[in-house]
Amino acid sequence: MNEVALAVMIAAVVLAGCEKAILPDADATDTVADGKVVFVFQTESIDYTTRAASDIAGHASKLNVQLFDEDGQKVFSTVRTQTKDDDDFGRLSVELADGVYTVVAVAHSSARSATIKSPEVVQFTAQDGEKLTDTFCHVSVVEVSGDSHSFTLPMYRAVAMVQLHLTDETLPGDVWYIKADYSGGSANVNPTTLEGITKSNQSERRIKNDLRLHQFFTFPYMSETGTLKMTISATTSDGTVLRQRTFDAVPVKRNRITTYDGKLFGDGDWTATMTDFSFVVNADWDGEDMYEF
């Protein structure tokens, strides 16, 4: 993956993201109390001629933020967390002494907060069957001086999605779960480069009230692209496997959807077709690769 720096000319702000651009100053009408610093997080447009932006509430239900000082020490004793139900979701107001800080933010929909260890390491827990969700990241260096500041900061999707679409006309009545076991991606991410940082064995299952379309997320490991080995199983309520299919090389790419379309209980080989799309807003996927099996 090509690592690219974004420059935000509000005081002195340098962003790490996916495109190069000079972003505009924060809205001059945004009133900030004396001594306060306000960070407004958005899914910023890739098309910097339009400056379009999107509220993160449309794409995530939780925001985790940590700041690091010039010595690399955490500013907050625990990660600052906002949820979609908060009135100020996506807008964090804090008091900071003059200085230079690194802002690290992660927007997602996992039940547990992300662990922000550094600007290069964000971890998601695998306890209690927690699943990885659509995830956006932001890293920037900001200089704070004077009484008040307001920064509008873009967030970028860090995950790839694999989508399983079952076309079986009927499924056995004792199918209770669709389970996916996959390796080759990562459950943890470097928010600065948007790359997966650990080789992970991920396992998720979906209950029977949603058996037709299933979405699974991963961070491509140490790259923008990669492949997964994925085993899909239909199981009973006690875990007995009724049907299983394995795909040895599922292609994944950050901000793209790979779709496998076919009958889980049918026989026959699957064939692959790939379709490329491009979008201008980071909240939209770059495209979808569709496969039949």
Side-chain angles (χ1 to χ4, degrees):
M1 173 182 179
N2 293 324
E3 181 181 347
V4 185
L6 292 168
V8 179
M9 303 306 292
I10 312 169
V13 182
V14 180
L15 304 179
C18 303
E19 299 287 334
K20 290 183 178 179
I22 304 300
L23 298 181
D25 290 347
D27 189 344
T29 64
D30 190 12
T31 303
V32 183
D34 289 345
K36 290 284 188 179
V37 178
V38 174
F39 301 105
V40 181
F41 297 97
Q42 295 177 319
T43 53
E44 193 75 16
S45 171
I46 295 176
D47 183 353
Y48 291 101
T49 61
T50 63
R51 310 290 182 177
S54 175
D55 188 341
I56 64 171
H59 314 289
S61 62
K62 184 170 292 183
L63 176 69
N64 299 132
V65 182
Q66 181 61 272
L67 270 61
F68 297 86
D69 63 21
E70 292 182 83
D71 296 324
Q73 300 300 307
K74 293 180 180 179
V75 173
F76 307 139
S77 58
T78 58
V79 66
R80 293 292 180 92
T81 299
Q82 294 181 337
T83 66
K84 194 173 181 177
D85 294 333
D86 295 336
D87 291 337
D88 58 349
F89 183 59
R91 178 186 176 94
L92 179 66
S93 178
V94 297
E95 293 185 8
L96 295 173
D98 288 358
V100 176
Y101 300 90
T102 300
V103 183
V104 182
V106 185
H108 58 96
S109 299
S110 296
R112 294 173 180 263
S113 292
T115 299
I116 302 175
K117 300 181 72 70
S118 74
E120 293 79 32
V121 179
V122 168
Q123 297 177 336
F124 287 86
T125 180
Q127 297 177 357
D128 301 329
E130 177 72 305
K131 65 179 181 179
L132 191 64
T133 68
D134 201 0
T135 303
F136 297 80
C137 296
H138 169 87
V139 177
S140 66
V141 177
V142 300
E143 180 177 350
V144 175
S145 60
D147 293 333
S148 62
H149 296 273
S150 179
F151 303 103
T152 300
L153 305 175
M155 304 195 77
Y156 294 88
R157 179 177 276 120
V159 293
M161 181 201 292
V162 177
Q163 187 167 255
L164 177 69
H165 178 220
L166 300 183
T167 60
D168 302 75
E169 293 182 6
T170 59
L171 294 170
D174 49 353
V175 172
W176 196 264
Y177 297 111
I178 296 296
K179 185 170 179 284
D181 297 286
Y182 48 108
S183 59
S186 176
N188 302 312
V189 66
N190 180 334
T192 299
T193 65
L194 304 179
E195 295 175 339
I197 54 177
T198 57
K199 287 186 177 180
S200 302
N201 293 320
Q202 296 171 256
S203 181
E204 299 181 23
R205 64 182 187 178
R206 303 289 187 267
I207 59 176
K208 67 177 183 179
N209 63 356
D210 180 22
L211 288 178
R212 295 297 177 180
L213 186 65
H214 309 275
Q215 297 173 339
F216 307 97
F217 298 89
T218 194
F219 302 113
Y221 176 64
M222 298 299 291
S223 175
E224 192 177 52
T225 62
T227 59
L228 306 179
K229 181 176 182 179
M230 176 172 280
T231 298
I232 304 297
S233 306
T235 73
T236 63
S237 58
D238 64 2
T240 301
V241 176
L242 301 176
R243 179 69 170 174
Q244 191 171 83
R245 295 293 299 267
T246 297
F247 305 100
D248 290 320
V250 178
V252 290
K253 184 176 181 180
R254 188 191 65 79
N255 204 34
R256 286 188 65 86
I257 301 170
T258 299
T259 298
Y260 274 69
D261 193 338
K263 292 180 171 62
L264 182 58
F265 284 84
D267 296 323
D269 296 330
W270 53 273
T271 58
T273 58
M274 302 180 69
T275 305
D276 184 49
F277 300 91
S278 62
F279 298 86
V280 296
V281 180
N282 278 24
D284 288 329
W285 296 90
D286 281 344
E288 180 174 353
D289 303 325
M290 300 191 68
Y291 299 83
E292 293 183 357
F293 63 89

